[in-house]
Amino acid sequence: MITIADIEQAHQRIAELVNRTPIMTSRTLDDSTGAKNYIKCENFQRVGAFKFRGVSNKLALLTEQERARGVVTHSSGNHAQAVALASSLLGIEAVVVMPRNAPQVKVEATAGYGARIVRCESSAEARVHTCQALIEKHGYTLVHPYDDDQIIAGAGTASFELINDIKWLDVLFCPVGGGGLLSGSSVATKGLCPAARVIAVEPERADDAFRSLRDDEIYPSVYPDTIADGLRTSLSPRTFEIIKQHVDQIITVTEAEIVEAMKFLWIRMKLVVEPSGAVSIAGLRKMAAAHTGQQVGAIISGGNVDLNPLFEHYDRLLEQ
Amino acid sequence: MITIADIEQAHQRIAELVNRTPIMTSRTLDDSTGAKNYIKCENFQRVGAFKFRGVSNKLALLTEQERARGVVTHSSGNHAQAVALASSLLGIEAVVVMPRNAPQVKVEATAGYGARIVRCESSAEARVHTCQALIEKHGYTLVHPYDDDQIIAGAGTASFELINDIKWLDVLFCPVGGGGLLSGSSVATKGLCPAARVIAVEPERADDAFRSLRDDEIYPSVYPDTIADGLRTSLSPRTFEIIKQHVDQIITVTEAEIVEAMKFLWIRMKLVVEPSGAVSIAGLRKMAAAHTGQQVGAIISGGNVDLNPLFEHYDRLLEQ
C-alpha cells in the first residue's frame, strides 16, 4: 500500500510536467456554508483532468526498455487523453483501445495528442481482450486508469499540493469512481494532516463504493445511469483496501444535487467543471451544517464537458 | 486626468473589498502564439466583472453626507450589480434605473444584491431623465459606469495588480466599450511599465472607438449589433482624452473571432467568460505574429453570460 512518501516523491518527479493548479475560493460559498472552503481545481490541469498527474508519474517511472516498447490503455475518457499527452511529451509510443461506438470527439481529442487509436467491439471484455493481445504481441506496458500504485500516488499529488498550500485541513471532499483519486487523496491527507476527515462523494445512482464500504465487499458498478460519467467505474481490491483504511465516510448525492453544484460552480464561480468534477462540491454543500467554522477542502476532478449546447446557441446568433 | 498615483491609491483603498483575481496562463496559448501570455481574470471578480473595482473606489470616496443620501445609476448590466453589491456592503442605499424591457434575470440579480429598482421607458433619454429626477428629488450621487475619474482609477487596479505580479509587460490587450477599463488600464500600464504598448480591442460591428481615434472625433455608438453586449457604449470626452494619450492602437475583431476566442477560453482554459470578456483574447490571438517572444497581458473583463442553453440540456437529462 502506498504511503505519503510515495506521494511526496511523485510530487517532485512530475513537478515540471504537471500544472500546479490554482486553489479557488468563494465568499458566496463560505457565507452559505459557514466554513472556509478551498477548491483544488484539477479542471485547470493539463488535458483538463487530474488523470494527467497519475499517468505522468507512471510514465516517468518506466525503465528505458519499457519506454522504448510503448504503453497501452483501454480507458477512453480523460485517462486516454492523459496517456496520449504525457506519452507524447516523453517521447513514448501510446496506443489507446477504444470501442467502435466511442464518441468521435473523444477519438479525435486522443488522437490529437498523438496516440494511436485501435478500435474494438463495444463490450468491456473486448476492450480488455484487445488490450491484452497488444501487450502480448508488442510488449506494451499497460497504464491502468486507477488500479496501479504509481497512478494512485500521482493522483494524490493534487491533495498534497492543496494541503501544502493552505497548511491545514479539517475535512476533504473527494469524488469516487474507481477510487484512484480518492485513494491518493486520502493517503496524502492522512499523511500531512492526520486529524483531517476524508469524505468521499458518489452519485446515488452509482453508489457501488458506498455499498462496498458498508458491507465490506466490493460490488461492481453495473452500467450506472448518472450524468457523472467519470464515476461509473468499480473499485479494485487495491483501491478498496486504501479506502477502507483512510476514508472516514462515503456519502451519496442525487443527480439534481450534482446539477445544482454545477450551476453554482459555473454561474457563481465562473468555472467550467464536468458533472463528475462537481460531485465533491455537491457533497460539501450537503454536509455544510457539520463543518461550521472549519477549514474545508474539495477536489474538482476535471472540466471536460460537451459545450455544444452552448456554442450552438452562439453559432445561431452569428448566422443571423 | 488621472495618474498612476490615483490608481495606486485606489488599489490600497479597495484592497479589502475586491477580489485580487488570479492570473491564468495556458501552455496551449503560449505555444500557438509564441509569446508568454498572462490573463487577468476579472470574471473571478465579485459580481463576475471588473466593474466592481471602480464602483468600490467611487463609493469609498463619498463623504458621510453623500453616503447618507444614497446613490443612483442608470446602467443595467454588470455595472448595476456592482453598484448594488458594493452599496450593500458599505451600507449605502442604491437605486438602479432600468428600462421596463430589461431582462428579468438582470432585474432579479440587481435586486438580489439589495438595490431598489426604478423602472422607466426603454429609451436612453428616459433612463437619464428618470435618473436626473431622482437625483434632484433625493440628492443621490450618480455613479456613472465609466465617465468618472474614480471609476476609471478603480478599473485600472486590475492592470495594476497584473503588472505588479508579473513585473514586466511588453504589450497589454484590453477591450473597449465606454473606455473606462481601457483608460484605467492604459494609465496603469504606462505608469508602471512605460515601454509597454497598450492595444485596445473592439468588435468590428461596434467600432466607434476605432473610428474616433482614427479621425480624432468622438463618434457615438449607435445600436451596434454585436454579441459583445458589454461593449456597445460610446466613449466620453474624459475617456477619449486618456485613450488618445495612452493607447497605442485600437484593433477590431469579427463576431466569429470573438466566438472562437470564447471557445478557446471555455474548452481549453475552462473559464466561463462573457463575449465582451473574450474580445481581448480575440485581439491577442489575431496579433500574435507581432509579439513573438514577448510578455503579453490581457484583461478578461467579465464572466456574466446566459448559461440557460447549457443547463436546459442538463435539466432535460434529469427529466429522462
Side-chain angles (χ1 to χ4, degrees), chain A residues 19 27 270 303-305 314, chain B residues 27 46 270 303-305 314:
Chain A
N19 289 344
R27 300 182 200 236
K270 312 300 178 191
N304 292 326
V305 57
Y314 283 106
Chain B
R27 300 181 200 238
R46 296 181 87 167
K270 311 301 178 191
N304 291 327
V305 55
Y314 283 106

Side-chain angles (χ1 to χ4, degrees), chain A residues 17-19 24 27 43-44 46 255 263 266-267 269-270 272 303-305 307 310-311 314 318, chain B residues 17-19 24 27 43-44 46 255 263 266-267 269-270 272 303-305 307 310-311 314-315 318:
Chain A
L17 215 48
V18 305
N19 289 344
M24 303 296 285
R27 300 182 200 236
N43 53 329
F44 294 132
R46 296 180 87 167
E255 300 293 296
K263 286 184 180 174
W266 287 64
I267 296 171
M269 292 192 68
K270 312 300 178 191
V272 173
N304 292 326
V305 57
L307 288 167
L310 188 75
F311 284 116
Y314 283 106
L318 286 202
Chain B
L17 214 50
V18 304
N19 288 345
M24 304 296 285
R27 300 181 200 238
N43 53 329
F44 294 132
R46 296 181 87 167
E255 299 293 295
K263 286 184 179 173
W266 287 64
I267 296 171
M269 293 192 68
K270 311 301 178 191
V272 173
N304 291 327
V305 55
L307 288 166
L310 187 76
F311 285 114
Y314 283 106
D315 290 339
L318 287 201

Side-chain angles (χ1 to χ4, degrees), chain A residues 212-233:
Chain A
S212 299
L213 196 67
R214 182 191 63 197
D215 299 345
D216 194 16
E217 174 187 352
I218 297 180
Y219 293 114
S221 179
V222 186
Y223 305 114
D225 177 27
T226 170
I227 57 165
D229 55 354
L231 305 179
R232 291 177 185 156
T233 40

Side-chain angles (χ1 to χ4, degrees), chain B residues 153-166:
Chain B
T157 60
S159 294
F160 184 87
E161 285 177 9
L162 170 65
I163 299 170
N164 268 316
D165 285 345
I166 68 171

Side-chain angles (χ1 to χ4, degrees), chain B residues 118-130:
Chain B
V118 171
R119 309 305 283 263
C120 68
E121 297 306 316
S122 68
S123 70
E125 294 71 26
R127 290 163 75 168
V128 171
H129 179 80
T130 306

Side-chain angles (χ1 to χ4, degrees), chain A residues 309, chain B residues 309 311-320:
Chain B
F311 285 114
E312 281 163 9
H313 164 76
Y314 283 106
D315 290 339
R316 278 194 301 273
L317 284 181
L318 287 201
E319 281 160 16
Q320 280 170 8

